[in-house]
C-alpha cells in the first residue's frame, strides 16, 4: 500500500510539472507600457528549498529566516547574498542548488559583527562589509573565503559599498567620515573623494558602466553624481513627499541603460530616475508585515538595493524581513520572456 501511495504521488507530481501563468505584477500598471516586473520574494531558505516527500508530512525545519536584511546583491548566475544586521548573519542564497549557505562557510560566518553592505565584482566574487570592524570579506561563487581587507586605517565606518567592474575599484562610502574612498580589489587605497560642501551622510554608492559615481546622501535626501575622475556633475531628487521626491535615501543602484534607482526608508518605495534627474517611475508604497499587509512590491523601510548584470533588481525590504526581486524589462528580456496576456 505504501509503495502504491508513493508511486501515485510521484507520478502526479511528474505529470503536473511547471505551470506557466500570465505575469500580472508590473510597474507602471496597465494600460501603460510595463518597465519593471515583480519576480519573487524570499523570507528565508524555505522559499527556495525543494520539498521532500517526508517534509510534506512532518514539516521542514528552517535554518535561515531573515530578520532585518540591510543589503543584498546578486551575481546574475543564480546566487545572491543577504546581510542581516539584526542577527549579524550573512547568507548566500543559491537558487541553482536550492539552498542557503553561511557566507564564506563556518570560518567566514563567525567573523561578522555588523554587516553593512554587499557588492559583486565582474568575476562573480562577493564583497561583504562589516561596519563595526571596518573590514571587507571576499568570497567566490563557490562560497570559499578568498581574502579579508582591513580598511580600518582609512575609514570610520563602511556603508553600502560598490564595485566598479570595468576599472577594478572597490568604492567605499564612509558616512561618519563624510567621504567616499576608492580601493583596489585587494585593499590598496587609490584615492579619496571628500565631497566638501556636498556630503552630509553618504551611506550608499553605485557605479555606472561609464564610471559615473552615484552617492546616496541620506540626510540631504539626494543622489549625488560625480564623474569617474571625481568631478561633481549634478544632484538628483529633492526633499518632499510627492511622487519622485525623496525623504530618507537608504540605497542607490543603476541598471544597464543608466537609469538610477533610489530606495527611500521613509517613503517606503523605490524611485527610478534618468541620468538628468527626471522621475520615470515610483515602485511600491508602505506595506507592513505587522499589519498583515505585505503585498508584492510594497515595502517597510527598504534599504539596500542592487542590480545584477541581467538587470535583475534586489531590494532588502528590511522591516518586512524579506528580500524582494524585480526585473527591469529591457527589449532583450521581453524578447526572451514575452508577457502572456491573461485569457478573458
Amino acid at each position: 500500500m505504501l509503495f502504491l501511495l508513493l508511486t501515485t504521488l510521484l507520478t502526479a507530481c511528474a505529470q503536473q510539472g511547471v505551470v506557466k501563468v500570465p505575469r500580472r505584477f508590473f510597474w507602471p500598471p496597465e494600460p501603460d507600457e510595463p518597465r519593471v516586473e515583480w519576480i519573487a520574494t524570499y523570507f528565508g531558505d524555505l522559499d527556495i528549498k525543494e520539498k521532500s516527500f517526508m517534509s510534506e508530512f512532518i514539516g521542514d525545519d528552517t535554518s535561515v529566516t531573515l530578520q532585518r536584511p540591510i543589503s543584498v546583491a546578486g551575481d546574475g548566475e543564480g546566487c545572491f547574498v543577504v546581510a542581516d544586521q539584526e542577527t549579524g548573519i550573512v547568507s548566500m542564497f543559491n537558487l541553482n542548488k536550492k539552498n542557503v549557505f553561511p557566507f564564506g562557510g563556518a570560518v567566514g560566518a563567525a567573523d561578522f559583527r555588523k554587516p553593512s553592505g554587499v557588492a559583486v565584482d565582474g568575476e562573480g566574487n562577493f564583497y561583504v562589509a562589516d561596519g563595526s570592524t571596518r573590514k571587507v570579506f571576499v568570497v567566490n561563487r563557490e562560497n570559499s573565503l578568498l581574502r579579508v581587507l582591513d580598511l580600518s586605517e582609512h575609514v570610520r565606518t563602511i556603508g553600502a559599498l560598490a564595485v566598479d567592474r570595468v576599472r577594478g575599484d572597490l568604492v567605499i562610502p564612509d558616512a561618519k567620515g563624510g567621504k567616499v574612498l576608492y580601493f583596489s580589489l585587494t585593499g590598496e587605497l587609490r584615492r579619496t573623494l571628500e565631497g566638501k560642501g556636498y556630503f552630509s551622510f553618504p551611506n550608499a554608492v553605485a557605479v555606472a558602466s561609464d564610471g559615473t559615481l552615484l552617492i546616496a546622501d541620506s540626510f540631504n535626501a539626494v543622489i549625488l553624481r560625480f564623474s569617474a575622475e571625481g568631478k561633481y556633475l549634478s544632484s538628483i531628487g529633492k526633499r518632499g513627499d510627492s511622487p519622485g521626491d525623496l525623504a530618507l535615501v537608504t540605497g542607490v543602484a543603476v541598471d544597464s541603460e543608466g537609469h538610477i534607482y533610489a530606495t527611500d526608508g521613509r517613503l517606503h518605495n523605490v524611485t527610478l530616475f534618468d541620468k538628468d534627474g527626471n522621475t520615470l517611475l515610483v515602485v511600491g508604497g508602505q506595506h507592513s508585515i505587522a499589519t498583515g499587509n505585505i503585498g508584492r512590491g510594497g515595502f517597510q523601510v527598504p534599504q539596500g538595493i542592487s542590480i545584477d548584470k541581467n538587470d535583475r533588481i534586489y531590494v532588502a525590504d528590511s522591516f518586512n524581513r524579506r528580500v524582494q526581486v524585480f526585473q527591469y524589462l529591457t527589449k532583450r528580456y521581453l524578447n526572451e520572456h514575452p508577457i502572456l496576456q491573461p485569457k478573458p
Side-chain angles (χ1 to χ4, degrees):
M1 290 294 292
L2 179 59
F3 175 77
L4 290 174
L5 176 62
L6 284 169
T7 302
T8 302
L9 288 172
L10 292 174
T11 302
C13 291
Q15 290 174 345
Q16 182 178 0
V18 177
V19 179
K20 294 184 178 180
V21 297
R23 292 132 57 191
R24 301 178 186 272
F25 302 100
F26 301 99
W27 290 265
E30 294 180 343
D32 294 327
E33 180 182 357
R35 304 291 295 274
V36 172
E37 179 181 7
W38 175 87
I39 298 296
T41 293
Y42 300 95
F43 290 91
D45 59 353
L46 290 185
D47 292 309
I48 67 172
K49 279 184 175 180
E50 286 187 324
K51 293 287 185 180
S52 65
F53 172 74
M54 292 305 297
S55 70
E56 296 292 337
F57 293 92
I58 64 175
D60 191 1
D61 292 333
T62 180
S63 58
V64 177
T65 302
L66 298 177
Q67 296 298 318
R68 195 65 54 82
I70 190 172
S71 188
V72 57
D75 65 355
E77 299 289 342
C79 287
F80 64 91
V81 168
V82 184
D84 192 315
Q85 200 163 75
E86 181 168 312
T87 63
I89 295 173
V90 180
S91 303
M92 177 179 285
F93 285 63
N94 191 312
L95 303 181
N96 300 318
K97 296 182 178 180
K98 300 187 185 306
N99 213 333
V100 179
F101 305 93
F103 182 80
V107 176
D111 289 329
F112 294 105
R113 297 182 186 177
K114 190 178 181 181
S116 55
V118 183
V120 184
D121 68 16
E123 297 180 355
N125 300 316
F126 290 91
Y127 295 68
V128 174
D130 189 300
S132 178
T133 63
R134 292 167 289 171
K135 294 179 180 179
V136 176
F137 299 79
V138 187
V139 163
N140 63 17
R141 191 175 286 123
E142 287 70 42
N143 204 23
S144 298
L145 185 64
L146 301 180
R147 56 190 176 272
V148 179
L149 313 179
D150 187 346
L151 309 183
S152 59
E153 179 184 347
H154 305 287
V155 299
R156 293 175 59 188
T157 188
I158 302 177
L161 70 171
V163 173
D164 185 337
R165 300 171 191 171
V166 176
R167 294 153 194 83
D169 288 327
L170 179 63
V171 188
I172 302 292
D174 180 1
K176 291 182 179 179
K179 57 188 176 181
V180 174
L181 302 93
Y182 288 74
F183 293 86
S184 72
L185 298 185
T186 53
E188 291 79 26
L189 179 64
R190 289 180 169 172
R191 58 193 173 98
T192 301
L193 182 62
E194 296 289 348
K196 293 179 180 179
Y198 297 110
F199 297 164
S200 175
F201 198 81
N203 72 316
V205 293
V207 182
S209 59
D210 64 357
T212 299
L213 175 65
L214 305 164
I215 303 172
D217 194 314
S218 291
F219 291 173
N220 282 330
V222 294
I223 301 295
L224 301 171
R225 295 177 64 244
F226 285 80
S227 71
E229 295 73 34
K231 179 183 177 181
Y232 171 76
L233 299 175
S234 65
S235 65
I236 292 176
K238 63 180 179 65
R239 190 181 300 278
D241 55 9
S242 299
D245 289 345
L246 301 172
L248 182 65
V249 189
T250 50
V252 62
V254 58
D255 66 24
S256 65
E257 297 181 1
H259 304 123
I260 299 163
Y261 298 63
T263 49
D264 196 300
R266 187 168 294 160
L267 299 180
H268 311 287
N269 60 26
V270 178
T271 301
L272 278 67
F273 301 94
D274 65 19
K275 66 179 181 179
D276 296 319
N278 300 306
T279 302
L280 301 177
L281 181 65
V282 177
V283 176
Q286 188 170 17
H287 290 240
S288 172
I289 196 172
T291 64
N293 182 9
I294 51 172
R296 298 172 178 88
F299 302 104
Q300 184 73 7
V301 192
Q303 298 207 53
I305 181 171
S306 68
I307 302 175
D308 70 19
K309 62 183 180 181
N310 301 317
D311 285 308
R312 188 140 289 191
I313 306 158
Y314 305 81
V315 181
D317 188 4
S318 188
F319 279 49
N320 280 331
R321 303 178 182 178
R322 62 182 180 174
V323 167
Q324 293 198 67
V325 182
F326 303 82
Q327 177 70 45
Y328 173 66
L329 300 175
T330 62
K331 291 182 179 179
R332 176 180 176 181
Y333 184 85
L334 287 173
N335 287 335
E336 296 175 353
H337 306 84
I339 299 173
L340 302 177
Q341 296 298 325
K343 294 182 179 180

